[in-house]
């Protein structure tokens, strides 16, 4: 099966891109790496009348630091993060996450912003940005705004981004040099969807000790104070959080997420960070 016919444009600015989609009444799609939208179009699960290619917009590739915050442009690729071509400020967390995304061919083209806008609950960046408590930088006809990570994804494959808005980048606080972190993902082989994701960020210098349960039916569950889970290896402490994530006790999903969360906690407790 092939994609239905569509118009195509490659603007050079966000303003031009926004202007192109305004008259389409929601029938246009912004596209960057196309690693998610492309297969959906081939299966005709998505049939936009126009694709607006964002890869020609230089501003969407800009990355910079200001004080203790880091901003990454939406069109930065997974491979560029993996290869440390951008200063992500996470003490190795984001390169580790990027290295585990699908295959190198996908990482060469897939973008940070494209993954976040797709909002797959099992995707790596949607969970990582929530764990980092990132702000999502958005530009639209009414100007720029910031969407907090807690508000970005109300449900699976759903964001609070309007159809005529562009995700231009993400901003989050830099982790300190002494920060401990772990990222544990369970999938049977590379390229398959994750069945469970668990993240811990323990940064005493910044007063942060968070955990996250991801790859569930909806948005990830952030545990704002995970100190007990880091300091105490008792696995029963995990169960109330798994229940809060909507996982039924005794189910396969409950067990696999329980193992992921326990192993992620152990990595922080014993190693400080995921082994390289």
């Amino acid at each position: 099966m092939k994609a239905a016919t569509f118009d195509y444009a490659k603007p050079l600015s966000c303003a031009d891109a926004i202007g192109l989609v305004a008259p389409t009444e929601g029938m246009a799609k912004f596209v960057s790496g196309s690693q998610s939208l492309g297969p959906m179009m081939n299966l005709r699960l998505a049939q936009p009348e126009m694709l607006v290619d964002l890869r020609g917009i230089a501003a969407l590739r800009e990355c910079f630091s200001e004080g203790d915050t880091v901003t990454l442009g939406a069109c930065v690729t997974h491979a560029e993060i993996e290869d440390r071509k951008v200063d992500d400020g996470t003490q190795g967390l984001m390169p580790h996450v990027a290295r585990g995304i699908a295959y190198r061919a996908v990482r060469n083209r897939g973008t940070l912003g494209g993954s976040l806008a797709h909002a797959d609950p099992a995707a790596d960046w949607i969970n990582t940005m929530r764990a980092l408590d990132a702000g999502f930088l958005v530009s639209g006809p009414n100007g720029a705004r910031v969407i907090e990570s807690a508000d970005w994804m109300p449900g699976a494959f759903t964001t609070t981004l309007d159809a005529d808005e562009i995700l231009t980048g993400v901003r989050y606080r830099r982790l300190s040099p002494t920060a401990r972190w772990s990222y544990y993902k369970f999938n049977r082989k590379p390229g398959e969807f994750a069945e469970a994701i668990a993240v811990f960020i323990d940064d005493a210098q910044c007063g942060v000790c968070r955990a996250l349960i991801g790859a569930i039916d909806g948005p990830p569950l952030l545990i704002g104070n995970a100190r007990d889970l880091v300091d105490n290896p008792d696995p029963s402490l995990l169960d109330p959080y798994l229940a809060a994530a909507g996982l039924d006790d005794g189910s396969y999903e409950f067990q696999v997420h329980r193992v992921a969360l326990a192993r992620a906690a152990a990595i922080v407790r014993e190693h400080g960070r995921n082994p390289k």
Side-chain angles (χ1 to χ4, degrees):
M1 187 180 294
K2 295 182 179 180
T5 58
F6 56 88
D7 292 327
Y8 173 83
K10 192 174 182 179
L12 298 180
S13 72
C14 288
D16 289 344
I18 293 165
L20 285 167
V21 303
T24 66
E25 298 181 350
M27 294 306 295
K29 286 283 189 182
F30 294 118
V31 62
S32 50
S34 194
Q35 297 303 287
S36 297
L37 181 60
M40 292 175 66
M41 290 177 62
N42 285 337
L43 293 170
R44 301 207 174 186
L45 297 174
Q47 298 186 44
E49 294 179 0
M50 172 182 278
L51 290 185
V52 178
D53 192 339
L54 302 177
R55 291 176 297 169
I57 302 176
L60 298 183
R61 295 185 51 79
E62 293 179 353
C63 304
F64 53 90
S65 298
E66 291 180 314
D68 62 353
T69 65
V70 175
T71 299
L72 298 184
C75 281
V76 170
T77 66
H78 313 318
E80 287 170 329
I81 296 172
E82 175 185 7
D83 296 343
R84 298 176 185 262
K85 292 184 177 179
V86 298
D87 175 20
D88 64 90
T90 60
Q91 305 299 328
L93 169 60
M94 286 188 60
H96 173 85
V97 171
R99 190 164 57 247
I101 296 175
Y103 304 94
R104 181 67 186 198
V106 171
R107 299 196 293 273
N108 283 338
R109 288 188 60 86
T111 62
L112 173 64
S115 176
L116 293 171
H118 187 55
D120 184 341
D124 294 278
W125 293 135
I126 204 77
N127 291 286
T128 304
M129 289 302 126
R130 183 69 185 102
L132 290 169
D133 195 27
F136 291 71
L137 311 180
V138 171
S139 181
N142 298 318
R145 64 182 178 124
V146 179
I147 302 175
E148 299 302 324
S149 63
D151 301 323
W152 174 255
M153 181 184 171
F157 301 100
T158 304
T159 73
T160 50
L161 192 69
D162 291 337
D164 56 357
E165 289 183 314
I166 297 173
L167 173 64
T168 61
V170 292
R171 181 182 297 144
Y172 51 84
R173 186 172 182 177
R174 179 184 293 274
L175 299 183
S176 72
T178 58
R180 301 188 295 173
W181 58 264
S182 62
Y183 188 92
Y184 191 91
K185 177 170 68 171
F186 178 76
N187 52 349
R188 297 183 183 275
K189 64 180 182 180
E192 286 192 345
F193 292 108
E195 295 188 37
I197 291 175
V199 188
F200 276 82
I201 295 176
D202 182 13
D203 191 346
Q205 187 172 321
C206 295
V208 167
C209 186
R210 304 188 195 104
L212 177 138
I213 301 171
I216 52 181
D217 289 340
L221 176 73
L222 186 72
I223 303 169
N225 183 357
R227 175 58 56 200
D228 287 349
L229 305 186
V230 171
D231 293 343
N232 192 332
D234 181 0
S236 67
L237 295 176
L238 309 175
D239 294 354
Y241 299 106
L242 296 168
L247 301 167
D248 294 330
D249 189 3
S251 67
Y252 169 79
E253 290 78 11
F254 185 97
Q255 294 301 325
V256 74
H257 280 86
R258 193 175 198 255
V259 169
L261 197 59
R263 291 181 180 177
I267 289 168
V268 168
R269 189 181 306 119
E270 298 166 12
H271 301 289
R273 297 173 189 167
N274 279 60
K276 294 183 180 179

